[in-house]
mmCIF file of all heavy atoms in Angstrom:
data_model
loop_
_atom_site.group_PDB
_atom_site.id
_atom_site.type_symbol
_atom_site.label_atom_id
_atom_site.label_comp_id
_atom_site.label_asym_id
_atom_site.label_seq_id
_atom_site.Cartn_x
_atom_site.Cartn_y
_atom_site.Cartn_z
ATOM 1 N N ASN A 54 -9.252 12.098 -2.736
ATOM 2 C CA ASN A 54 -10.030 11.047 -3.388
ATOM 3 C C ASN A 54 -11.048 11.676 -4.353
ATOM 4 O O ASN A 54 -11.798 12.562 -3.968
ATOM 5 C CB ASN A 54 -10.749 10.210 -2.319
ATOM 6 C CG ASN A 54 -11.262 8.895 -2.862
ATOM 7 O OD1 ASN A 54 -11.987 8.864 -3.855
ATOM 8 N ND2 ASN A 54 -10.885 7.803 -2.225
ATOM 9 N N THR A 55 -11.048 11.215 -5.616
ATOM 10 C CA THR A 55 -11.962 11.818 -6.600
ATOM 11 C C THR A 55 -13.419 11.465 -6.300
ATOM 12 O O THR A 55 -14.319 12.104 -6.830
ATOM 13 C CB THR A 55 -11.649 11.362 -8.050
ATOM 14 O OG1 THR A 55 -11.655 9.936 -8.086
ATOM 15 C CG2 THR A 55 -10.299 11.877 -8.504
ATOM 16 N N ASP A 226 -5.112 3.326 2.569
ATOM 17 C CA ASP A 226 -6.364 3.672 1.900
ATOM 18 C C ASP A 226 -6.723 5.127 2.190
ATOM 19 O O ASP A 226 -6.947 5.500 3.342
ATOM 20 C CB ASP A 226 -7.496 2.757 2.379
ATOM 21 C CG ASP A 226 -7.483 1.413 1.677
ATOM 22 O OD1 ASP A 226 -8.008 1.346 0.561
ATOM 23 O OD2 ASP A 226 -6.932 0.456 2.227
ATOM 24 N N SER A 305 4.806 0.102 4.603
ATOM 25 C CA SER A 305 5.109 -1.258 4.155
ATOM 26 C C SER A 305 4.477 -2.305 5.068
ATOM 27 O O SER A 305 4.776 -2.382 6.257
ATOM 28 C CB SER A 305 6.625 -1.467 4.141
ATOM 29 O OG SER A 305 6.914 -2.862 4.184
ATOM 30 N N ASP A 316 10.593 -8.147 15.234
ATOM 31 C CA ASP A 316 11.566 -8.832 14.392
ATOM 32 C C ASP A 316 12.487 -7.782 13.758
ATOM 33 O O ASP A 316 12.035 -6.977 12.957
ATOM 34 C CB ASP A 316 10.776 -9.592 13.306
ATOM 35 C CG ASP A 316 11.667 -10.343 12.332
ATOM 36 O OD1 ASP A 316 12.898 -10.195 12.399
ATOM 37 O OD2 ASP A 316 11.108 -11.079 11.503
ATOM 38 N N ARG A 321 13.698 -5.449 5.247
ATOM 39 C CA ARG A 321 12.407 -4.982 4.745
ATOM 40 C C ARG A 321 12.341 -3.464 4.734
ATOM 41 O O ARG A 321 11.666 -2.876 3.895
ATOM 42 C CB ARG A 321 11.280 -5.536 5.621
ATOM 43 C CG ARG A 321 11.153 -7.045 5.517
ATOM 44 C CD ARG A 321 10.067 -7.533 6.453
ATOM 45 N NE ARG A 321 9.892 -8.979 6.343
ATOM 46 C CZ ARG A 321 9.010 -9.657 7.052
ATOM 47 N NH1 ARG A 321 8.228 -9.023 7.922
ATOM 48 N NH2 ARG A 321 8.890 -10.958 6.903
ATOM 49 N N CYS A 324 14.355 -2.402 1.814
ATOM 50 C CA CYS A 324 13.559 -2.669 0.613
ATOM 51 C C CYS A 324 12.571 -1.527 0.360
ATOM 52 O O CYS A 324 12.438 -1.046 -0.759
ATOM 53 C CB CYS A 324 12.851 -4.009 0.776
ATOM 54 S SG CYS A 324 11.836 -4.473 -0.620
ATOM 55 N N GLY A 327 14.203 1.431 -0.939
ATOM 56 C CA GLY A 327 14.573 1.207 -2.335
ATOM 57 C C GLY A 327 13.436 1.377 -3.317
ATOM 58 O O GLY A 327 13.642 1.806 -4.442
ATOM 59 N N TYR A 328 12.218 1.020 -2.913
ATOM 60 C CA TYR A 328 11.113 1.147 -3.875
ATOM 61 C C TYR A 328 10.326 2.431 -3.699
ATOM 62 O O TYR A 328 9.333 2.652 -4.380
ATOM 63 C CB TYR A 328 10.189 -0.077 -3.862
ATOM 64 C CG TYR A 328 9.366 -0.336 -2.617
ATOM 65 C CD1 TYR A 328 8.365 0.538 -2.200
ATOM 66 C CD2 TYR A 328 9.530 -1.498 -1.888
ATOM 67 C CE1 TYR A 328 7.594 0.272 -1.087
ATOM 68 C CE2 TYR A 328 8.773 -1.779 -0.770
ATOM 69 C CZ TYR A 328 7.805 -0.882 -0.371
ATOM 70 O OH TYR A 328 7.040 -1.140 0.734
ATOM 71 N N ASN A 399 -11.489 -5.625 10.077
ATOM 72 C CA ASN A 399 -11.912 -5.205 8.746
ATOM 73 C C ASN A 399 -12.556 -6.286 7.911
ATOM 74 O O ASN A 399 -13.116 -6.008 6.856
ATOM 75 C CB ASN A 399 -10.742 -4.563 8.011
ATOM 76 C CG ASN A 399 -10.516 -3.163 8.530
ATOM 77 O OD1 ASN A 399 -11.396 -2.324 8.446
ATOM 78 N ND2 ASN A 399 -9.343 -2.936 9.121
ATOM 79 N N THR A 403 -19.122 -4.568 7.959
ATOM 80 C CA THR A 403 -20.539 -4.297 7.689
ATOM 81 C C THR A 403 -21.438 -5.508 7.904
ATOM 82 O O THR A 403 -22.631 -5.354 8.079
ATOM 83 C CB THR A 403 -20.809 -3.801 6.240
ATOM 84 O OG1 THR A 403 -20.554 -4.852 5.326
ATOM 85 C CG2 THR A 403 -19.967 -2.586 5.919
ATOM 86 N N ASN B 54 13.290 -1.498 -7.770
ATOM 87 C CA ASN B 54 13.829 -1.109 -6.469
ATOM 88 C C ASN B 54 15.273 -0.625 -6.627
ATOM 89 O O ASN B 54 16.096 -1.309 -7.215
ATOM 90 C CB ASN B 54 13.753 -2.321 -5.523
ATOM 91 C CG ASN B 54 13.921 -1.922 -4.070
ATOM 92 O OD1 ASN B 54 14.881 -1.251 -3.708
ATOM 93 N ND2 ASN B 54 12.982 -2.319 -3.238
ATOM 94 N N THR B 55 15.564 0.583 -6.090
ATOM 95 C CA THR B 55 16.921 1.132 -6.259
ATOM 96 C C THR B 55 17.945 0.353 -5.441
ATOM 97 O O THR B 55 19.129 0.484 -5.666
ATOM 98 C CB THR B 55 16.997 2.612 -5.830
ATOM 99 O OG1 THR B 55 16.527 2.733 -4.488
ATOM 100 C CG2 THR B 55 16.154 3.492 -6.728
ATOM 101 N N ASP B 226 4.699 -4.398 -1.466
ATOM 102 C CA ASP B 226 6.142 -4.255 -1.295
ATOM 103 C C ASP B 226 6.873 -4.764 -2.539
ATOM 104 O O ASP B 226 6.785 -5.934 -2.879
ATOM 105 C CB ASP B 226 6.604 -5.050 -0.063
ATOM 106 C CG ASP B 226 6.350 -4.301 1.234
ATOM 107 O OD1 ASP B 226 7.174 -3.455 1.580
ATOM 108 O OD2 ASP B 226 5.316 -4.548 1.873
ATOM 109 N N SER B 305 -5.739 -2.569 -2.140
ATOM 110 C CA SER B 305 -6.333 -1.971 -0.936
ATOM 111 C C SER B 305 -6.481 -2.987 0.197
ATOM 112 O O SER B 305 -7.197 -3.984 0.063
ATOM 113 C CB SER B 305 -7.719 -1.404 -1.279
ATOM 114 O OG SER B 305 -8.471 -1.249 -0.088
ATOM 115 N N ASP B 316 -17.474 -9.902 2.709
ATOM 116 C CA ASP B 316 -18.262 -8.728 3.065
ATOM 117 C C ASP B 316 -18.452 -7.872 1.807
ATOM 118 O O ASP B 316 -17.490 -7.352 1.268
ATOM 119 C CB ASP B 316 -17.459 -7.955 4.126
ATOM 120 C CG ASP B 316 -18.156 -6.693 4.580
ATOM 121 O OD1 ASP B 316 -19.184 -6.318 3.987
ATOM 122 O OD2 ASP B 316 -17.658 -6.075 5.538
ATOM 123 N N ARG B 321 -15.627 0.356 -0.166
ATOM 124 C CA ARG B 321 -14.167 0.327 -0.114
ATOM 125 C C ARG B 321 -13.559 0.224 -1.506
ATOM 126 O O ARG B 321 -12.482 0.734 -1.758
ATOM 127 C CB ARG B 321 -13.704 -0.855 0.739
ATOM 128 C CG ARG B 321 -14.112 -0.722 2.193
ATOM 129 C CD ARG B 321 -13.698 -1.947 2.964
ATOM 130 N NE ARG B 321 -13.983 -1.814 4.377
ATOM 131 C CZ ARG B 321 -13.723 -2.755 5.271
ATOM 132 N NH1 ARG B 321 -13.163 -3.888 4.891
ATOM 133 N NH2 ARG B 321 -14.002 -2.556 6.545
ATOM 134 N N CYS B 324 -13.891 3.619 -2.984
ATOM 135 C CA CYS B 324 -12.881 4.458 -2.365
ATOM 136 C C CYS B 324 -11.533 4.268 -3.059
ATOM 137 O O CYS B 324 -10.844 5.241 -3.379
ATOM 138 C CB CYS B 324 -12.799 4.134 -0.882
ATOM 139 S SG CYS B 324 -11.611 5.130 0.016
ATOM 140 N N GLY B 327 -11.408 5.891 -6.283
ATOM 141 C CA GLY B 327 -11.318 7.334 -6.104
ATOM 142 C C GLY B 327 -9.925 7.835 -5.779
ATOM 143 O O GLY B 327 -9.555 8.937 -6.189
ATOM 144 N N TYR B 328 -9.143 7.041 -5.042
ATOM 145 C CA TYR B 328 -7.807 7.531 -4.705
ATOM 146 C C TYR B 328 -6.734 7.002 -5.644
ATOM 147 O O TYR B 328 -5.557 7.280 -5.457
ATOM 148 C CB TYR B 328 -7.454 7.265 -3.234
ATOM 149 C CG TYR B 328 -7.275 5.829 -2.796
ATOM 150 C CD1 TYR B 328 -6.235 5.045 -3.284
ATOM 151 C CD2 TYR B 328 -8.109 5.271 -1.850
ATOM 152 C CE1 TYR B 328 -6.052 3.743 -2.860
ATOM 153 C CE2 TYR B 328 -7.934 3.962 -1.412
ATOM 154 C CZ TYR B 328 -6.907 3.213 -1.928
ATOM 155 O OH TYR B 328 -6.724 1.930 -1.519
ATOM 156 N N ASN B 399 4.329 -13.127 8.576
ATOM 157 C CA ASN B 399 5.318 -12.061 8.429
ATOM 158 C C ASN B 399 5.784 -11.447 9.738
ATOM 159 O O ASN B 399 6.756 -10.691 9.755
ATOM 160 C CB ASN B 399 4.798 -10.994 7.474
ATOM 161 C CG ASN B 399 4.892 -11.481 6.049
ATOM 162 O OD1 ASN B 399 5.992 -11.757 5.581
ATOM 163 N ND2 ASN B 399 3.758 -11.636 5.390
ATOM 164 N N THR B 403 12.031 -13.976 10.463
ATOM 165 C CA THR B 403 13.457 -14.249 10.741
ATOM 166 C C THR B 403 13.730 -14.690 12.173
ATOM 167 O O THR B 403 14.755 -15.280 12.435
ATOM 168 C CB THR B 403 14.371 -13.025 10.472
ATOM 169 O OG1 THR B 403 14.096 -12.003 11.423
ATOM 170 C CG2 THR B 403 14.199 -12.499 9.070
#
Side-chain angles (χ1 to χ4, degrees):
Chain A
N54 196 306
T55 54
D226 279 278
S305 159
D316 179 353
R321 294 177 178 180
C324 180
Y328 67 65
N399 283 300
T403 68
Chain B
N54 196 307
T55 55
D226 280 277
S305 160
D316 179 352
R321 295 177 176 180
C324 181
Y328 67 66
N399 284 299
T403 68

